[in-house]
Amino acid sequence: MLKLISLEIRKNKLKTLLTGAAIVNLAILAFMIMVLFVDHNESEPSFASFAELFEGVFVFVKAAYIIFASVIISKLVIDEYKNNTITLLFMYPISRKKLMTAKILIVFAFTFVAIIVSDIVVGAILIGFNSFVGLIPGELTLQMITSELIKLGANAFYAAGIALIPLYFGMKKKSVPATIVSAVLVASLISGGFDQARLGNLAAVSISLGLLGAGIAYLAIRNIDHKDIA
């Protein structure tokens, strides 16, 4: 399976996605710094504590990489069906289920790792930045950092599952726009709102949507032998 995943990454030149991920993180970082400066004189700033800062970073990173994952799904799966190159792929002496499993594992693993790394890197840079400008009051404790890292691991796992939901719409329509638009709608649904009043902050919602994404991935793998490739 690892060799198959490696071949898929090389065939689709997925290493170029790292450049895209770096650009996404820079955009999030620039936006967060802008908000910090614009809001710091307000009576109720957007990030009045480190807890709110971490929450803000995670919301933006999660939404960005759920949409980013839909681009990878489009490249790995939907384009193959749309351009009918999946027919050639299925002529290889490799199980169709293994091929689809490798593609989905790439999407899941990339999203999971990207959310964790991006959250830590962007959060660390903002903390370092704040040590010079002092826009966020309060003290950052080791206990707070440990708690946030544990929460981040679980939330990134759920988000990686949620990122697979657009696979259903993409496979149904054989459409890249449908895949990406559905990802934007899912990201907006769970990330919209103010303060803690976000659908994505409810553990039951995140777990349910994560399981939904896993179920969609399972059905896509199970039905691949019978899927119409015309």
Side-chain angles (χ1 to χ4, degrees):
M1 181 57 72
L2 288 176
K3 190 173 182 181
L4 197 54
I5 289 173
S6 175
L7 286 172
E8 280 292 320
I9 290 173
R10 278 187 287 171
K11 187 186 80 174
N12 291 283
K13 300 177 180 176
L14 294 184
K15 287 185 177 178
T16 58
L17 293 175
L18 296 178
T19 304
I23 293 171
V24 167
N25 290 343
L26 283 174
I28 294 172
L29 185 61
F31 180 75
M32 295 285 292
I33 289 175
M34 184 186 72
V35 172
L36 278 172
F37 273 110
V38 170
D39 271 10
H40 82 282
N41 284 327
E42 299 291 330
S43 57
E44 294 183 1
S46 299
F47 308 119
S49 65
F50 284 107
E52 291 183 2
L53 178 72
F54 293 143
E55 168 70 15
V57 171
F58 180 71
V59 168
F60 287 120
V61 167
K62 178 173 64 174
Y65 281 100
I66 285 176
I67 297 170
F68 204 109
S70 72
V71 176
I72 307 176
I73 291 173
S74 298
K75 191 175 182 65
L76 286 176
V77 182
I78 309 304
D79 272 346
E80 295 267 24
Y81 277 94
K82 187 179 174 184
N83 300 326
N84 214 24
T85 53
I86 198 79
T87 307
L88 177 63
L89 193 62
F90 284 163
M91 292 174 70
Y92 294 170
I94 303 171
S95 161
R96 291 185 180 189
K97 289 181 179 177
K98 280 189 176 179
L99 282 169
M100 182 59 86
T101 301
K103 290 172 182 290
I104 290 174
L105 282 177
I106 289 171
V107 177
F108 183 89
F110 178 87
T111 310
F112 177 70
V113 173
I115 288 176
I116 289 181
V117 171
S118 300
D119 217 304
I120 291 174
V121 170
V122 173
I125 292 174
L126 287 173
I127 290 169
F129 178 76
N130 186 67
S131 67
F132 290 102
V133 297
L135 297 177
I136 302 173
E139 183 183 355
L140 183 64
T141 64
L142 182 60
Q143 183 181 10
M144 189 185 298
I145 293 173
T146 305
S147 173
E148 287 295 332
L149 287 176
I150 293 172
K151 191 166 68 175
L152 169 61
N155 287 335
F157 190 77
Y158 303 144
I162 294 170
L164 297 175
I165 292 176
L167 178 65
Y168 170 79
F169 299 96
M171 291 289 282
K172 190 175 180 64
K173 299 287 185 183
K174 305 286 193 302
S175 164
V176 170
T179 311
I180 296 175
V181 169
S182 61
V184 172
L185 292 175
V186 169
S188 302
L189 178 69
I190 62 175
S191 303
F194 300 94
D195 298 328
Q196 296 298 313
R198 292 188 183 89
L199 206 56
N201 285 347
L202 301 174
V205 172
S206 294
I207 294 172
S208 299
L209 290 176
L211 289 174
L212 176 62
I216 289 170
Y218 169 74
L219 290 176
I221 295 168
R222 193 192 68 174
N223 298 332
I224 194 68
D225 286 334
H226 313 290
K227 197 73 181 174
D228 179 19
I229 58 175

